[in-house]
Amino acid sequence: MVSVQSHRKDEHISLAKKFHSKDSKAGFDQIRFVPNALPESDIKNVNISTKLGKLNLTVPFYIEAMTGGSKRAKELNYQLANIAKNLNLAMAVGSESVALREPELASSFSVVKEVNPHGIKIANLSANASISQVKQAIQLIDADAIEIHINAVQEIVMPEGDRKFNWINNIKEIVAAIDIPVIVKEVGFGIDQKAMKQLSSIGVQYVNVGGTGGTNFAKIENFRRPNKELEYFSDWGLSTVESLCEAKMVPNLEIVATGGIKNPLQIVKALYLGANAVGIASEILNSLIENGPLATQEMLNEWILGVKSIYTVLGVNNLDELRKCPTIY
Amino acid sequence: MVSVQSHRKDEHISLAKKFHSKDSKAGFDQIRFVPNALPESDIKNVNISTKLGKLNLTVPFYIEAMTGGSKRAKELNYQLANIAKNLNLAMAVGSESVALREPELASSFSVVKEVNPHGIKIANLSANASISQVKQAIQLIDADAIEIHINAVQEIVMPEGDRKFNWINNIKEIVAAIDIPVIVKEVGFGIDQKAMKQLSSIGVQYVNVGGTGGTNFAKIENFRRPNKELEYFSDWGLSTVESLCEAKMVPNLEIVATGGIKNPLQIVKALYLGANAVGIASEILNSLIENGPLATQEMLNEWILGVKSIYTVLGVNNLDELRKCPTIY
Amino acid sequence: MVSVQSHRKDEHISLAKKFHSKDSKAGFDQIRFVPNALPESDIKNVNISTKLGKLNLTVPFYIEAMTGGSKRAKELNYQLANIAKNLNLAMAVGSESVALREPELASSFSVVKEVNPHGIKIANLSANASISQVKQAIQLIDADAIEIHINAVQEIVMPEGDRKFNWINNIKEIVAAIDIPVIVKEVGFGIDQKAMKQLSSIGVQYVNVGGTGGTNFAKIENFRRPNKELEYFSDWGLSTVESLCEAKMVPNLEIVATGGIKNPLQIVKALYLGANAVGIASEILNSLIENGPLATQEMLNEWILGVKSIYTVLGVNNLDELRKCPTIY
Amino acid sequence: MVSVQSHRKDEHISLAKKFHSKDSKAGFDQIRFVPNALPESDIKNVNISTKLGKLNLTVPFYIEAMTGGSKRAKELNYQLANIAKNLNLAMAVGSESVALREPELASSFSVVKEVNPHGIKIANLSANASISQVKQAIQLIDADAIEIHINAVQEIVMPEGDRKFNWINNIKEIVAAIDIPVIVKEVGFGIDQKAMKQLSSIGVQYVNVGGTGGTNFAKIENFRRPNKELEYFSDWGLSTVESLCEAKMVPNLEIVATGGIKNPLQIVKALYLGANAVGIASEILNSLIENGPLATQEMLNEWILGVKSIYTVLGVNNLDELRKCPTIY
Ligand SMILES: Cc1cc2nc3c(=O)[nH]c(=O)nc-3n(C[C@H](O)[C@H](O)[C@H](O)COP(=O)(O)O)c2cc1C
Ligand SMILES: Cc1cc2nc3c(=O)[nH]c(=O)nc-3n(C[C@H](O)[C@H](O)[C@H](O)COP(=O)(O)O)c2cc1C
Ligand SMILES: Cc1cc2nc3c(=O)[nH]c(=O)nc-3n(C[C@H](O)[C@H](O)[C@H](O)COP(=O)(O)O)c2cc1C
Ligand SMILES: Cc1cc2nc3c(=O)[nH]c(=O)nc-3n(C[C@H](O)[C@H](O)[C@H](O)COP(=O)(O)O)c2cc1C
């Protein structure tokens, strides 16, 4: 029999698919690159790689945390892992807590390491997880980094969700105990500078700003409620671009941008705004379900080329040069 | 036979229902809370109660003045009083002048005290009322406070309405004579700081800013006119948010916010902007007529939970803390 | 047989009717009165009259220059004159040049003085008119004032229009020779302060800013052209509100506001912004053709009441007090 | 057999036609002339001619580079050359590289000089062209000036396009070697001041800012791709108006404005903003294909009259006076 949590995972996938929109509201339209009519460049000299701590990302974007914990999730993780391997993308898995509770579901996550043993893999757990759970989650996929998600609004809008959010001490302990990068990650409502400074003060070095503009869990939850009484939460939060601007005010953090990133230009804008890596969830999931794994791989390959093309027409050869481009806000 | 005034009451209810809109134009969209990604909070510690003078409101919003004076109004007041009792909400009745003139209509108001003898009840009369009328109106529902409505625009747009508005001295006398809170209340066109300072100078301590963005009596009147010649009044006034901002400039007033408040987030924003209590009319009336009393009570119960949830994700435990949250205008 | 000019008059009336729009783009929405919640006023004490030079306008708005010069025009002028008489409105006639050239058309103008011998009547000619023509035009309707229209854009968009605009000296001579108010009037593209200062420097005391936002002769002309090649002129000009703001920079002028004024609130806003009188053309013409003279008179009577009502809710008794009201731009 | 390049030319024409839009997004709506109610002008005294280097343009706009290289292109160039001759317009041809590679296609360009030997003709090649190619291209149409197009974004969006853009030295050499005006021209993504200063520093005297707002090659390319993966480039660039503003910061350049210019008012605005000449492509092509050569000539004749009419109502007699008009941004 399928557990409630496992069933819920599948339902989330379907709803995320249903609520997927081609338009990003993450704020990237508000910033434009000044075109460079005389780029003096050659795509062959362009290097789009980035670093996250000591991890080298040859491609600056990766497959963000989405799934695991059901038969269908296993199938999707298998397909995503293949794409990650073929294109040399990093990849995060969905929250692994279900697998720690129900060991028979573990293979829906570990399939990722079987398919792609040498790729960069990112584990995922909630900020309530114990150190021993974090270690198991890392081991389960042989992870190179772990995302610890903080998701108060997502919990509050779920009828069965948490109503108590005391995470700071626990995060501090996890960071102290774990020696791979620990990325503290919002799941779609953004983070302001105050919270980032707090995180920095307890030793966190990596933050995924997870802003509004893409997948919106308040909208997804609201859909499941007959009276739509959570509609008012759909405008809650800071957009990914706003969150990136907030992050600029906080020294000593490495930033990941997630939320509403849907094309190579938005990826490049996120990098310009300070992100070291860019996570993409719904745009990939949607393509996978709608067009299949080959088309998705081709799309992501086009994106890699797209990022390189944008560097080329801007006349920049790497991330440092990109960050110096003139822009219009 | 039904008197003109009594008939008019029923017509107002139907038209308010007809003109009800899910969208608020009260200006709340212009203000956003900065999300708190690390709330360190527990819904169990959250206290959403407020005070209006010495009155303790366990719930910061209440059922605003709407009805009384007809058979149908009695039925509605009965249902509203039940909801108020079950959820521990304060409740105002509609203008009681009709009952003072036609005593056989008194029970359409007094039903409220019969159903809910221990709840907080708010009487309602116009600014023309004599002290003796005010006392009768209070007695009729055993009121804990009384709203004195000022409604020049509403009168001017009614063919049979007043064309003479000399209220200041009368309000001064009422305030001096009555020892429960006297709330001077606009009915939907807002109040600027000059008028609030004037009110304060004559001893008024409680003002309901009653701003634009919700029920609009100019639109309702216009509908009854074949030539729509009052359309130009539909943009008249200050929004509820603008009026709340004006109120900040006036010391020593306790503020109620009414007008276009349609969900828990708007309630919390009104409280943040300085309101001690929030009145809701059309959203409740509409639910009552469309979905019935049980569904309305459930909706309002969800709202109470919603207000608590918002406090929780903001990481604040009470009104004082709420008012210190960072926001974006 | 009907002359081309006479035929053209009728065509203009039909097209103006066709292009009539309920929405004003004259800019009045950009200015709002701060509502006065405590007006302390009585409609009986409100005096809405204004002065234009020595002329007393009991009603601050009037029927603006529109027609004359054909059988149908005579009928319309007859009906307008009746309304003007019944409501005590001033009234302007359309350009009288056609009557000076074709005397058999004179009665289409003079009907106005026959119907309404004691009312305020305003003659109308172009800025090319000779002094003797101006005198004839005045005499023809026994005018109390004369409008001299300046209409370069209107001419340029008419295939048969003028292409030469040397008006200044001629206007100077007319003003010197005529002892009733000479109002220099744009017909719908507005006037900037530079031109108004120039007019003032040659002795002009009365300017009708005739701004954009209402009847637009570029749009009307464009309609008659198969290739719509004049579309680009439809955004040309300064709005009535912009022109009124320009007029504030010019001392010693009395201002009339025309262009896109379509309800009592816009009239009051124009008065607030410095106009001494307000001209209304298309809104009246449209009502006359669509609803007939009685309905038009009733509408304008409602407008008089509307202007008074707005004074009342603002708590002002006359134009001087109105101009001191707080507003929001 | 038809070569790929030749076929591609025809396809570009059809797609440009398909994507043609009456609305310009080049930014001209953001600037308005203050109307001149007293122009004191006569269309007979108006002179709209401009100079580009030593070239006298009696009409300030010209037919911009579009076509050549196929049978259909020859037909279009023939028709455009006739119009240019009849109205005394300058005219540019499309990129001549195809004719240099495939001599049998040369007549699709040279037809222009046969039809219009005495008119001003402008050659066109890419910034990769050698000096000898430039000379051939000039000779082929007996050109009075040559446009060197720089089009990095256009290339990057074409699957078969260049991916290497080292143009500066080559442009420097061309400018040094050629003694007719060499106009460096973007094809629709605009130029910023930095690039214009660079061009100026290598001896370039003429720049065509070729901004966004009209024909958009990213949109055209995207249409040919099944997955629309280039949509994100459709907002890339600086508008024609933005580019003209940038050009103001660069001394010693003569400027041509192209991109989204679709009527006489936009032409006059471009001249006001600093352009010495204005190029028009898609609006002419569209008319030619849709309405034929006679209607196109009539339209352009109306435009000449339109430019003169605008000068007249502004009360200016030539370009110098135009540039002093007051405007509103
Ligand atoms: C179906 C689905 C499941 C998700 N599950 C998780 C999760 O388990 N853990 C997590 O940190 N984020 C999860 N996310 C959030 C994503 O990682 C990402 O932060 C968010 O979707 C915003 O990115 P997007 O706009 O590209 O979708 C999930 C998103 C989707 C669409
Ligand atoms: C049907 C109806 C009747 C009302 N009657 C009164 C009244 O008698 N006295 C009063 O002060 N306000 C009255 N109001 C105004 C409300 O109390 C409230 O100020 C206004 O409706 C704005 O709030 P809302 O947008 O939530 O409806 C009435 C409103 C409605 C919809
Ligand atoms: C049918 C019609 C005829 C007009 N004829 C004249 C005229 O002869 N002389 C004149 O000064 N203005 C004339 N006008 C302009 C009006 O007086 C007025 O300035 C203009 O219509 C703008 O006001 P509105 O928006 O209220 O129509 C005419 C307007 C209309 C609609
Ligand atoms: C069908 C077509 C072909 C074009 N070919 C060329 C070309 O070969 N060389 C060039 O410099 N520009 C070329 N252009 C660009 C135009 O010269 C012009 O810069 C651009 O279309 C923007 O102007 P518009 O908005 O008026 O079309 C072409 C444009 C079109 C529509």
Side-chain angles (χ1 to χ4, degrees):
Chain A
M1 213 204 76
V2 178
S3 75
V4 172
Q5 231 206 350
S6 172
H7 169 76
R8 190 176 174 82
K9 287 281 154 189
D10 283 355
E11 197 186 7
H12 252 177
I13 291 170
S14 306
L15 285 172
K17 172 76 189 61
K18 183 177 170 63
F19 280 89
H20 175 78
S21 145
K22 269 285 163 205
D23 290 336
S24 170
K25 291 180 177 155
F28 290 104
D29 288 356
Q30 292 158 33
I31 176 172
R32 283 193 294 154
F33 286 109
V34 174
N36 186 349
L38 297 167
E40 296 293 295
S41 61
D42 184 343
I43 206 167
K44 292 205 193 90
N45 302 328
V46 167
N47 174 353
I48 61 171
S49 73
T50 62
K51 294 193 78 173
L52 198 64
K54 288 184 192 135
L55 297 175
N56 282 306
L57 306 182
T58 46
V59 176
F61 60 87
Y62 67 86
I63 301 170
E64 191 47 278
M66 278 184 289
T67 198
S70 71
K71 222 179 136 182
R72 191 172 174 217
K74 183 173 178 179
E75 185 64 45
L76 291 172
N77 271 340
Y78 166 79
Q79 295 175 356
L80 292 170
N82 266 306
I83 294 171
K85 182 179 171 190
N86 293 341
L87 298 183
N88 214 0
L89 303 182
M91 169 179 171
V93 294
S95 180
E96 295 165 65
S97 60
V98 60
L100 306 189
R101 254 193 320 267
E102 307 179 45
E104 68 277 20
L105 297 173
S107 71
S108 65
F109 295 95
S110 58
V111 64
V112 166
K113 80 175 167 202
E114 275 145 38
V115 169
N116 189 16
H118 305 301
I120 295 178
K121 295 172 290 296
I122 305 173
N124 189 291
L125 273 184
S126 106
N128 287 326
S130 68
I131 292 176
S132 113
Q133 288 172 321
V134 168
K135 287 185 172 161
Q136 284 175 65
I138 291 170
Q139 202 179 356
L140 182 54
I141 65 161
D142 191 11
D144 304 280
I146 181 162
E147 294 174 341
I148 297 294
H149 62 258
I150 52 178
N151 62 342
V153 177
Q154 187 191 15
E155 292 292 337
I156 223 88
V157 296
M158 286 196 288
E160 72 276 25
D162 277 350
R163 298 289 179 266
K164 184 162 167 287
F165 312 108
N166 287 302
W167 292 325
I168 294 181
N169 282 335
N170 196 48
I171 293 172
K172 188 173 179 175
E173 284 172 19
I174 294 171
V175 172
I178 303 297
D179 51 10
I180 60 172
V182 174
I183 306 167
V184 176
K185 168 178 187 285
E186 236 294 349
V187 297
F189 297 96
I191 313 190
D192 76 331
Q193 50 174 297
K194 200 175 128 233
M196 283 190 266
K197 281 173 182 162
Q198 234 173 324
L199 288 170
S200 177
S201 77
I202 59 166
V204 173
Q205 284 174 278
Y206 307 90
V207 168
N208 182 333
V209 295
T212 64
T215 300
N216 184 317
F217 287 105
K219 279 200 186 135
I220 290 179
E221 275 307 319
N222 202 33
F223 179 78
R224 315 194 323 169
R225 303 202 168 190
N227 298 326
K228 313 288 166 227
E229 69 261 339
L230 289 169
E231 220 169 285
Y232 57 86
F233 258 131
S234 33
D235 286 332
W236 189 268
L238 288 175
S239 75
T240 301
V241 165
E242 287 172 327
S243 301
L244 287 170
C245 292
E246 289 284 286
K248 295 214 167 204
M249 304 294 137
V250 189
N252 304 326
L253 282 185
E254 292 193 31
I255 299 295
V256 179
T258 302
I261 291 168
K262 296 174 181 297
N263 66 43
L265 183 53
Q266 290 164 355
I267 292 170
V268 176
K269 286 179 178 178
L271 296 170
Y272 169 81
L273 287 169
N276 275 17
V278 173
I280 293 150
S282 133
E283 196 69 18
I284 292 175
L285 181 68
N286 189 59
S287 170
L288 198 57
I289 296 176
E290 200 153 289
N291 309 318
L294 171 58
T296 302
Q297 177 170 320
E298 282 171 350
M299 176 187 86
L300 293 175
N301 200 29
E302 274 297 330
W303 286 26
I304 296 172
L305 200 67
V307 172
K308 277 191 193 156
S309 298
I310 295 167
Y311 274 59
T312 308
V313 296
L314 282 173
V316 299
N317 285 325
N318 54 51
L319 185 58
D320 278 354
E321 290 179 24
L322 174 71
R323 296 238 172 101
K324 289 174 194 138
C325 281
T327 50
I328 308 169
Y329 277 76
Chain B
M1 213 203 74
V2 176
S3 75
V4 173
Q5 232 207 350
S6 172
H7 169 76
R8 192 179 170 80
K9 288 280 153 189
D10 283 355
E11 198 186 6
H12 253 176
I13 292 170
S14 305
L15 285 172
K17 173 76 188 61
K18 183 178 170 62
F19 280 90
H20 174 79
S21 145
K22 269 285 163 206
D23 290 335
S24 171
K25 292 181 177 155
F28 289 103
D29 288 356
Q30 293 158 32
I31 177 173
R32 283 193 295 153
F33 286 108
V34 173
N36 186 350
L38 297 166
E40 296 291 297
S41 60
D42 184 341
I43 206 166
K44 293 207 193 89
N45 302 330
V46 168
N47 175 354
I48 62 171
S49 73
T50 63
K51 295 194 78 174
L52 198 63
K54 288 187 193 133
L55 298 174
N56 283 307
L57 306 181
T58 46
V59 176
F61 60 88
Y62 67 84
I63 301 170
E64 191 47 277
M66 279 185 288
T67 198
S70 71
K71 223 179 135 183
R72 190 171 175 219
K74 183 171 177 178
E75 184 66 43
L76 291 171
N77 270 340
Y78 167 79
Q79 295 175 355
L80 292 170
N82 267 305
I83 294 171
K85 184 179 169 190
N86 294 340
L87 297 183
N88 213 2
L89 302 182
M91 168 180 172
V93 294
S95 179
E96 294 165 67
S97 61
V98 61
L100 306 190
R101 253 191 325 266
E102 306 180 46
E104 68 276 20
L105 297 173
S107 72
S108 65
F109 295 94
S110 58
V111 64
V112 166
K113 80 173 167 203
E114 276 146 35
V115 169
N116 188 18
H118 305 302
I120 295 178
K121 293 171 292 295
I122 305 173
N124 190 291
L125 274 183
S126 106
N128 288 324
S130 69
I131 292 176
S132 112
Q133 287 171 322
V134 168
K135 287 184 172 161
Q136 284 175 65
I138 290 170
Q139 203 178 357
L140 182 54
I141 65 160
D142 191 11
D144 303 279
I146 181 163
E147 293 174 340
I148 297 294
H149 62 258
I150 53 178
N151 61 342
V153 177
Q154 187 191 17
E155 293 291 337
I156 223 90
V157 296
M158 285 196 288
E160 71 277 24
D162 278 348
R163 298 289 179 267
K164 185 164 168 282
F165 311 108
N166 288 301
W167 292 327
I168 293 182
N169 281 336
N170 197 49
I171 292 172
K172 188 172 179 176
E173 284 172 21
I174 294 172
V175 171
I178 302 299
D179 51 8
I180 59 172
V182 174
I183 306 167
V184 176
K185 167 177 187 286
E186 237 296 349
V187 298
F189 297 95
I191 313 189
D192 76 331
Q193 51 174 296
K194 198 174 131 236
M196 282 190 266
K197 281 173 182 161
Q198 232 172 327
L199 289 170
S200 178
S201 78
I202 59 167
V204 173
Q205 285 175 277
Y206 307 90
V207 169
N208 182 332
V209 295
T212 65
T215 300
N216 183 317
F217 287 106
K219 279 201 185 135
I220 289 178
E221 275 308 319
N222 203 34
F223 179 79
R224 314 195 322 170
R225 302 202 169 191
N227 298 325
K228 312 289 167 227
E229 69 262 336
L230 289 169
E231 218 170 287
Y232 57 85
F233 259 131
S234 32
D235 286 332
W236 189 269
L238 288 175
S239 73
T240 301
V241 165
E242 287 173 326
S243 301
L244 287 170
C245 292
E246 288 285 287
K248 296 215 165 201
M249 304 295 138
V250 189
N252 304 325
L253 282 184
E254 292 193 30
I255 299 295
V256 179
T258 302
I261 292 166
K262 296 174 181 297
N263 66 43
L265 182 53
Q266 291 164 354
I267 292 170
V268 176
K269 286 179 179 178
L271 295 171
Y272 168 81
L273 287 169
N276 274 18
V278 173
I280 292 149
S282 133
E283 196 68 19
I284 293 175
L285 181 68
N286 189 58
S287 169
L288 198 58
I289 296 176
E290 201 153 286
N291 310 317
L294 171 58
T296 302
Q297 177 170 321
E298 282 170 351
M299 175 188 87
L300 293 174
N301 200 31
E302 274 298 330
W303 287 26
I304 295 172
L305 200 67
V307 172
K308 275 191 195 156
S309 298
I310 295 168
Y311 274 59
T312 309
V313 295
L314 282 172
V316 300
N317 285 325
N318 55 51
L319 185 57
D320 278 353
E321 289 179 24
L322 175 70
R323 295 238 172 101
K324 290 175 194 137
C325 281
T327 51
I328 307 170
Y329 277 78
Chain C
M1 212 205 76
V2 177
S3 74
V4 173
Q5 232 207 350
S6 172
H7 170 76
R8 191 177 172 81
K9 288 280 153 189
D10 282 356
E11 198 186 5
H12 252 177
I13 291 171
S14 305
L15 285 173
K17 172 80 188 60
K18 183 177 169 63
F19 280 89
H20 175 79
S21 146
K22 270 287 164 204
D23 290 336
S24 171
K25 292 178 178 159
F28 290 103
D29 288 356
Q30 292 158 32
I31 175 173
R32 282 193 297 153
F33 286 108
V34 174
N36 186 348
L38 296 167
E40 295 292 297
S41 61
D42 184 341
I43 205 166
K44 291 205 193 90
N45 301 329
V46 167
N47 176 354
I48 61 171
S49 72
T50 62
K51 295 194 79 174
L52 198 62
K54 287 184 192 134
L55 299 173
N56 283 306
L57 306 182
T58 45
V59 176
F61 59 89
Y62 67 85
I63 302 170
E64 191 46 276
M66 277 184 290
T67 196
S70 71
K71 221 176 134 185
R72 190 172 175 217
K74 183 171 176 178
E75 185 65 43
L76 292 172
N77 270 341
Y78 166 81
Q79 294 174 358
L80 292 170
N82 267 305
I83 294 170
K85 183 179 169 189
N86 294 341
L87 297 183
N88 215 1
L89 302 182
M91 168 179 171
V93 294
S95 180
E96 294 165 67
S97 61
V98 61
L100 305 189
R101 253 193 324 265
E102 307 179 46
E104 68 276 19
L105 299 173
S107 71
S108 66
F109 296 94
S110 58
V111 64
V112 166
K113 80 175 167 202
E114 276 146 36
V115 170
N116 189 17
H118 304 301
I120 295 178
K121 294 171 290 295
I122 305 173
N124 189 290
L125 274 184
S126 105
N128 286 325
S130 69
I131 292 176
S132 113
Q133 288 172 323
V134 167
K135 287 183 174 163
Q136 284 174 65
I138 290 170
Q139 205 180 355
L140 183 54
I141 64 160
D142 192 12
D144 303 281
I146 180 162
E147 293 174 342
I148 297 294
H149 62 258
I150 52 177
N151 62 341
V153 177
Q154 187 191 17
E155 294 292 336
I156 222 90
V157 297
M158 286 196 288
E160 71 278 24
D162 279 348
R163 297 289 180 267
K164 183 163 169 285
F165 311 108
N166 287 301
W167 291 325
I168 293 181
N169 281 337
N170 197 51
I171 292 172
K172 189 173 181 176
E173 284 171 22
I174 294 171
V175 172
I178 302 298
D179 51 9
I180 58 172
V182 175
I183 306 166
V184 177
K185 166 177 188 286
E186 237 295 349
V187 299
F189 296 96
I191 313 190
D192 77 330
Q193 50 175 298
K194 197 174 131 237
M196 283 190 265
K197 281 173 182 162
Q198 233 174 325
L199 288 170
S200 178
S201 77
I202 59 167
V204 172
Q205 285 174 278
Y206 307 90
V207 169
N208 182 332
V209 295
T212 64
T215 301
N216 183 316
F217 287 106
K219 280 202 184 132
I220 289 178
E221 275 308 317
N222 201 35
F223 179 78
R224 312 191 327 166
R225 305 202 166 191
N227 297 326
K228 313 287 166 229
E229 70 260 339
L230 289 169
E231 219 170 287
Y232 56 85
F233 259 130
S234 32
D235 285 332
W236 189 269
L238 288 175
S239 74
T240 301
V241 165
E242 287 172 326
S243 302
L244 286 170
C245 292
E246 288 285 286
K248 296 214 166 200
M249 304 294 137
V250 190
N252 304 324
L253 281 183
E254 292 194 29
I255 298 296
V256 180
T258 302
I261 292 167
K262 296 175 180 294
N263 66 43
L265 182 53
Q266 291 165 355
I267 293 170
V268 176
K269 286 179 179 178
L271 296 170
Y272 169 81
L273 286 169
N276 274 18
V278 173
I280 292 148
S282 133
E283 195 69 18
I284 293 174
L285 181 69
N286 189 61
S287 169
L288 199 57
I289 297 176
E290 200 153 289
N291 310 318
L294 172 58
T296 303
Q297 176 170 321
E298 283 170 352
M299 175 188 87
L300 293 174
N301 200 30
E302 274 297 330
W303 286 27
I304 296 172
L305 201 69
V307 172
K308 276 191 194 158
S309 298
I310 294 167
Y311 273 60
T312 308
V313 296
L314 283 173
V316 300
N317 285 324
N318 54 52
L319 185 58
D320 279 354
E321 289 179 23
L322 174 71
R323 296 237 171 102
K324 290 176 194 135
C325 281
T327 50
I328 308 169
Y329 278 77
Chain D
M1 212 203 77
V2 177
S3 75
V4 172
Q5 230 206 351
S6 171
H7 170 76
R8 190 176 173 81
K9 288 282 154 187
D10 283 356
E11 197 187 7
H12 252 178
I13 291 170
S14 306
L15 285 172
K17 172 79 189 60
K18 184 178 168 64
F19 279 90
H20 175 79
S21 145
K22 269 288 163 204
D23 290 336
S24 171
K25 291 179 179 159
F28 290 104
D29 287 357
Q30 292 158 31
I31 176 173
R32 283 192 296 154
F33 286 109
V34 174
N36 185 349
L38 296 167
E40 295 293 295
S41 61
D42 184 342
I43 205 167
K44 292 207 192 88
N45 302 329
V46 167
N47 176 354
I48 62 171
S49 73
T50 62
K51 296 194 77 175
L52 199 62
K54 288 184 194 136
L55 298 174
N56 282 307
L57 305 182
T58 46
V59 176
F61 59 88
Y62 68 85
I63 302 170
E64 191 47 278
M66 278 183 289
T67 197
S70 72
K71 223 178 133 182
R72 190 172 175 217
K74 184 172 178 179
E75 185 64 44
L76 292 172
N77 270 341
Y78 166 80
Q79 295 174 357
L80 292 170
N82 267 306
I83 295 171
K85 183 179 172 190
N86 294 341
L87 297 183
N88 215 2
L89 303 182
M91 169 179 170
V93 294
S95 181
E96 295 165 67
S97 61
V98 61
L100 306 188
R101 253 192 322 265
E102 307 178 44
E104 69 277 18
L105 297 173
S107 71
S108 66
F109 295 95
S110 58
V111 62
V112 165
K113 80 173 166 203
E114 275 145 38
V115 169
N116 189 17
H118 305 301
I120 294 177
K121 294 173 289 296
I122 305 172
N124 190 291
L125 273 184
S126 105
N128 287 325
S130 68
I131 292 176
S132 115
Q133 288 172 321
V134 167
K135 287 184 175 161
Q136 284 175 65
I138 291 170
Q139 205 180 353
L140 183 54
I141 64 160
D142 191 11
D144 303 281
I146 181 162
E147 292 174 343
I148 297 295
H149 61 257
I150 51 177
N151 62 343
V153 177
Q154 188 191 14
E155 293 292 337
I156 227 73
V157 296
M158 286 196 288
E160 71 278 24
D162 279 349
R163 297 290 179 267
K164 183 164 169 284
F165 311 108
N166 287 302
W167 292 325
I168 294 182
N169 281 335
N170 197 50
I171 293 173
K172 189 173 178 177
E173 284 172 21
I174 293 172
V175 171
I178 303 297
D179 50 10
I180 59 172
V182 174
I183 306 166
V184 177
K185 168 179 187 284
E186 236 295 347
V187 298
F189 296 96
I191 313 190
D192 77 331
Q193 49 174 300
K194 198 174 130 235
M196 283 191 266
K197 282 174 181 162
Q198 233 174 324
L199 288 170
S200 177
S201 77
I202 59 166
V204 172
Q205 284 174 278
Y206 307 90
V207 169
N208 183 332
V209 296
T212 64
T215 301
N216 184 316
F217 287 106
K219 279 198 185 139
I220 290 178
E221 275 307 319
N222 201 34
F223 179 78
R224 313 191 327 167
R225 304 203 167 189
N227 297 327
K228 311 289 166 230
E229 69 260 341
L230 289 169
E231 219 169 287
Y232 56 86
F233 258 131
S234 33
D235 286 332
W236 189 268
L238 288 175
S239 74
T240 301
V241 165
E242 287 172 327
S243 301
L244 286 170
C245 292
E246 289 284 285
K248 296 215 166 202
M249 304 295 138
V250 189
N252 305 324
L253 281 185
E254 292 195 29
I255 298 295
V256 180
T258 302
I261 292 168
K262 296 174 180 296
N263 66 43
L265 183 53
Q266 290 164 356
I267 292 170
V268 176
K269 286 179 179 177
L271 295 171
Y272 168 82
L273 287 169
N276 274 19
V278 173
I280 293 149
S282 132
E283 195 69 18
I284 293 174
L285 181 69
N286 189 59
S287 170
L288 198 57
I289 295 176
E290 200 153 290
N291 310 318
L294 172 59
T296 302
Q297 178 170 319
E298 283 171 351
M299 176 188 87
L300 293 174
N301 200 31
E302 275 296 332
W303 285 27
I304 296 173
L305 200 70
V307 172
K308 277 191 193 156
S309 298
I310 295 167
Y311 273 61
T312 308
V313 296
L314 282 173
V316 300
N317 285 324
N318 54 52
L319 185 58
D320 278 355
E321 289 178 24
L322 175 71
R323 296 239 172 100
K324 290 174 193 136
C325 281
T327 49
I328 307 169
Y329 278 77

